[in-house]
Amino acid sequence: MVKNTIKKDSDEFKSMFREYDIRGKVNKFELNEESVFEIVSAYARLIKERGIKKVVLGYDNRDCSPSFHDSALNALIEYGMTVYDIGLTLTPVAYYAQYRFEAEGLVMITASHNPNGWSGFKLGSGFSRTLGKEEIKKVYNYCLEPFNYKGNSGEVIEVNVREDYINEVLSRINMGENKPRVIIETANGGAGLFAYEIFERLGCVTFLLNADPDCTYPKYFPNPSDKLACKTIQSLISHPYINADLGLFFDGDGDRVGVTSKDGNPVYSDIVLALLSRQFLALHPHEKIIFDVKCSRTLSETIEECGGEPIMWSTGHSFIKSKMHQENAILAGERSGHIFIGGDEYYGFDDGLFAGAKLVEFLSHQTKSLTEIISTLPKYVTSPEIYVDCADNVKYKVMDKIVKRFKELYPDNVIDINGARVEFENGWGLVRASSNMPLLGLLFEGKTRTDMQKIKEIFRSVLSEFSEVSSYWQNDDE
């Protein structure tokens, strides 16, 4: 297996080791069978030093995933690991399998919502805990060192946890009388293997779009943040033969969910978190709820109204998970669709299917529609996530300069825990470096559309000062 032809000190190889996971393009410079073996070997060394001997191994629905799985398996065996091989799966199912088999290690081969031609890893060290920034740096540094291979001393146990996982989800849902009609989009990703059965068994009339896993993704990639990919579910939800009460769009590896209301409008995940906050704080008063810098003021104000404690934190599933456990919070989430439910309710990892089921549970106990319930929340106008190109090798340095510039302009208004979130009286704007792509992400919110537009123009002006940042705003709704 080991050919030693990968240039591990190259910029391309190093760029894959990101803030909260490892992602790269499938090519001879970044991810291929040889580099996967090297990276997983370095990870195996890390967890072996921590006394971890059992690892769950799974992979998402991409054409490269089976061969990368084989390379990863060989690396884990070389390091003497007992490997619970769950095959083609979803990230939350792999997290669940760690508990099921008492395995603190995890190798989930996935690039999540990144397009075809990419792959990567979510690596675990402990339960409901993925590697953080410094640990990922350590994996990279181990890649640069010679390996001391031990030979085939590990063990492989092939297991199927699908039914156990589905039963676990169902056991934690208490449906009311008003079971909603649900339309589900999986966009030919792996979630199609799980979603229909879960919501049918919850008693919902369920309609499923693009359910069969297809590595070519003939319609669109399973990314609920992509406006174009959401058009099908938004147009079909009110079809007279369907007439669904809500739509749920699960991403390729199942750890994110996008929601559509009956009238075909997107319901961003910070609004979903606001609804779940009402549900959980009614049962668990005064609890802490964690959310990322991209979330609406609607969420923080709702948490406070319900007697909870809102805590803003950095975007990134490992950051949010870590903060959630540090604060012993019952609920956490990101606007991108990662929702974490903990306490007595669940395990504290991001699970799009479970979050969708909890939202359905909440609605089943209401007499009003999703849209009517949302209308009772504090009201703001929020943009979609907007992206501008900025090269991977300069984006963080550029962001440091942008943060500094905003602090010069608005010294008392900048939250800099993750990029620059600039607070104004009638709204806010955010710019931050994407951890997974050569992009900067932007988001805007105002009490009115006019307020939001004014903040957008301020950001356009500031970003125009930096030649490394593209002037073309992708996914803008204007």
Side-chain angles (χ1 to χ4, degrees):
M1 170 63 68
V2 183
K3 301 176 183 177
N4 294 319
T5 61
I6 299 296
K7 294 181 178 179
K8 292 179 283 188
D9 58 351
S10 68
D11 289 341
E12 292 93 343
F13 187 85
K14 187 175 182 180
S15 71
M16 296 191 295
F17 294 79
R18 300 167 186 265
E19 289 187 64
Y20 42 84
D21 55 22
I22 299 169
R23 298 191 205 189
K25 294 179 180 178
V26 180
N27 58 38
K28 64 180 181 179
F29 303 108
E30 297 181 22
L31 286 176
N32 51 64
E33 292 178 28
E34 182 184 345
S35 65
V36 167
F37 182 87
E38 298 272 352
I39 292 167
V40 177
S41 294
Y43 162 74
R45 175 183 168 186
L46 175 72
I47 62 170
K48 192 166 188 175
E49 290 173 350
R50 297 177 175 183
I52 296 173
K53 299 178 180 179
K54 296 197 290 186
V55 181
V56 170
L57 173 63
Y59 60 88
D60 71 358
N61 185 49
R62 297 172 191 260
D63 52 10
C64 63
S65 292
S67 63
F68 286 4
H69 159 272
D70 293 346
S71 294
L73 182 60
N74 289 333
L76 293 169
I77 291 172
E78 288 270 9
Y79 267 85
M81 297 293 163
T82 297
V83 182
Y84 292 90
D85 187 355
I86 62 175
L88 174 63
T89 191
L90 304 178
T91 296
V93 178
Y95 292 147
Y96 164 75
Q98 287 185 271
Y99 287 90
R100 175 69 176 78
F101 301 112
E102 299 180 344
E104 292 188 76
L106 169 73
V107 176
M108 179 64 194
I109 300 168
T110 177
S112 189
H113 60 275
N114 284 46
N116 223 357
W118 287 72
S119 188
F121 308 93
K122 290 176 180 172
L123 302 173
S125 177
F127 300 105
S128 297
R129 186 183 178 280
T130 45
L131 299 191
K133 184 177 180 179
E134 295 305 314
E135 293 167 308
I136 289 172
K137 282 183 181 179
K138 197 167 187 178
V139 172
Y140 171 72
N141 290 331
Y142 280 177
C143 285
L144 302 179
E145 299 176 7
F147 290 134
N148 180 22
Y149 296 106
K150 303 299 183 183
N152 295 328
S153 56
E155 179 186 9
V156 182
I157 304 171
E158 294 184 359
V159 288
N160 185 339
V161 294
R162 181 181 180 275
E163 284 302 313
D164 287 347
Y165 167 77
I166 289 175
N167 289 334
E168 179 72 24
V169 168
L170 295 173
S171 72
R172 294 174 178 268
I173 304 297
N174 177 27
M175 293 292 285
E177 294 182 0
N178 302 315
K179 298 178 178 64
R181 296 166 66 90
V182 181
I183 182 170
I184 293 172
E185 170 72 274
T186 59
N188 303 109
L193 299 172
F194 296 82
Y196 184 80
E197 181 172 345
I198 288 173
F199 290 92
E200 274 285 301
R201 287 175 61 181
L202 288 176
C204 301
V205 175
T206 305
F207 304 87
L208 190 57
L209 304 175
N210 303 306
D212 53 316
D214 186 337
C215 293
T216 67
Y217 297 104
K219 302 289 183 62
Y220 29 74
F221 201 74
N223 181 3
S225 295
D226 187 328
K227 288 171 60 180
L228 294 177
C230 292
K231 282 189 173 181
T232 302
I233 192 169
Q234 289 170 354
S235 64
L236 287 177
I237 191 169
S238 59
H239 189 285
Y241 293 166
I242 296 175
N243 192 28
D245 297 299
L246 79 160
L248 300 173
F249 188 158
F250 299 106
D251 77 336
D253 68 331
D255 60 3
R256 292 193 301 141
V257 60
V259 179
T260 300
S261 65
K262 187 180 182 72
D263 51 9
N265 292 320
V267 181
Y268 296 121
S269 290
D270 43 9
I271 304 304
V272 175
L273 281 166
L275 299 178
L276 294 177
S277 295
R278 282 185 173 180
Q279 181 183 15
F280 289 136
L281 289 171
L283 298 172
H284 310 278
H286 314 302
E287 290 279 355
K288 297 175 181 178
I289 295 178
I290 315 294
F291 54 91
D292 77 322
V293 294
K294 296 191 287 186
C295 286
S296 170
R297 285 182 183 174
T298 297
L299 174 56
S300 56
E301 291 176 9
T302 299
I303 294 168
E304 289 175 340
E305 288 175 3
C306 295
E309 181 181 344
I311 300 175
M312 185 184 296
W313 201 240
S314 298
T315 295
H317 62 86
S318 67
F319 298 139
I320 296 291
K321 270 197 288 269
S322 176
K323 188 67 172 175
M324 182 182 191
H325 296 304
Q326 177 188 333
E327 298 288 349
N328 196 28
I330 194 168
L331 179 65
E334 301 178 283
R335 192 175 186 272
S336 63
H338 290 276
I339 295 177
F340 310 75
I341 298 170
D344 295 332
E345 298 283 345
Y346 204 48
Y347 295 102
F349 55 73
D350 39 339
D351 186 338
L353 292 164
F354 186 69
K358 291 301 287 187
L359 178 61
V360 164
E361 175 193 56
F362 172 72
L363 294 174
S364 75
H365 292 278
Q366 310 300 313
T367 56
K368 295 180 178 179
S369 70
L370 176 60
T371 301
E372 289 171 332
I373 297 168
I374 291 171
S375 71
T376 66
L377 298 172
K379 294 178 178 59
Y380 289 90
V381 178
T382 310
S383 74
E385 292 185 53
I386 298 166
Y387 307 101
V388 293
D389 290 331
C390 187
D392 264 333
N393 60 340
V394 300
K395 65 186 180 185
Y396 290 110
K397 292 179 181 178
V398 172
M399 266 310 311
D400 289 341
K401 295 176 183 178
I402 293 172
V403 171
K404 182 179 178 182
R405 181 62 175 139
F406 272 119
K407 286 184 174 181
E408 292 170 353
L409 295 169
Y410 307 99
D412 300 322
N413 297 52
V414 179
I415 299 170
D416 64 354
I417 56 176
N418 188 203
R421 174 163 164 155
V422 187
E423 298 283 346
F424 301 93
E425 182 179 357
N426 294 322
W428 55 269
L430 171 72
V431 58
R432 57 177 292 276
S434 167
S435 297
N436 307 314
M437 297 287 282
L439 303 168
L440 302 184
L442 300 116
L443 203 60
F444 305 97
E445 182 171 270
K447 286 294 290 183
T448 66
R449 183 163 291 275
T450 299
D451 292 331
M452 183 184 73
Q453 290 293 353
K454 289 178 180 177
I455 296 169
K456 286 175 78 171
E457 291 309 311
I458 291 171
F459 273 67
R460 278 191 188 277
S461 177
V462 171
L463 293 185
S464 70
E465 299 176 18
F466 301 90
S467 60
E468 304 93 335
V469 180
S470 171
S471 61
Y472 175 63
W473 288 24
Q474 307 167 40
N475 206 41
D476 193 0
D477 59 357
E478 299 299 325

